[in-house]
Amino acid sequence: MNAMYKPECTIHQEKVEDKILLTCESDANPDEVTFLWKKGNGTYDGDIKMNGLQSTIRLGLLQESFGTYFCFVNNSVGLGVPCEIDIQGIGVLKNISDTNIIVIVAVIAASLVALMILVVLI
């Protein structure tokens, strides 16, 4: 038996270099689907890649990228329930690299040592 059904979807988020990738994965029968992305109440017109049952958008690490993203998936049976993801605080990722974290930790450690020496001398 080959039951046909509307698409179901999930969105996965990952950071690649200086971008956030949102990938909408669908499960549907028939598996010929179309995707539509929206940001908030408007459409999303940015970089969109589609590959079979997946669609991926690329977001810059900017404050303008904050917000709720919706993925709509449709097949010949109908439109599935849209899935959503809320993107917040990704701008911080752009400014703090691994090197900066090491420097910050070293400065804090040096400050603590200097404070301990000062306390011992007083």
Side-chain angles (χ1 to χ4, degrees):
M1 184 163 151
N2 189 14
M4 296 174 53
Y5 53 94
K6 295 179 185 178
E8 297 174 0
C9 66
T10 56
I11 298 177
H12 304 283
Q13 172 185 340
E14 69 178 303
K15 181 179 179 282
V16 176
E17 296 175 5
D18 63 342
K19 300 284 184 192
I20 293 291
L21 302 182
L22 299 182
T23 301
C24 181
E25 294 184 15
S26 175
D27 177 30
N29 191 20
D31 61 3
E32 293 175 7
V33 297
T34 58
F35 290 91
L36 172 68
W37 285 91
K38 290 192 174 191
K39 179 183 176 194
N41 293 329
T43 59
Y44 176 79
D45 297 325
D47 183 13
I48 302 173
K49 303 243 190 286
M50 294 185 208
N51 183 16
L53 291 171
Q54 290 186 344
S55 176
T56 301
I57 61 173
R58 301 171 71 85
L59 307 173
L61 294 174
L62 305 168
Q63 188 168 358
E64 295 84 43
S65 297
F66 292 0
T68 303
Y69 292 82
F70 299 90
C71 176
F72 295 83
V73 190
N74 194 18
N75 67 4
S76 61
V77 178
L79 179 65
V81 175
C83 47
E84 68 180 81
I85 189 167
D86 191 40
I87 303 298
Q88 298 296 330
I90 60 176
V92 174
L93 297 174
K94 184 176 184 180
N95 297 325
I96 299 181
S97 67
D98 292 337
T99 305
N100 289 343
I101 291 173
I102 292 170
V103 170
I104 291 169
V105 169
V107 168
I108 292 171
S111 298
L112 289 174
V113 169
L115 183 62
M116 288 180 3
I117 291 172
L118 185 61
V119 168
V120 169
L121 293 176
I122 295 179

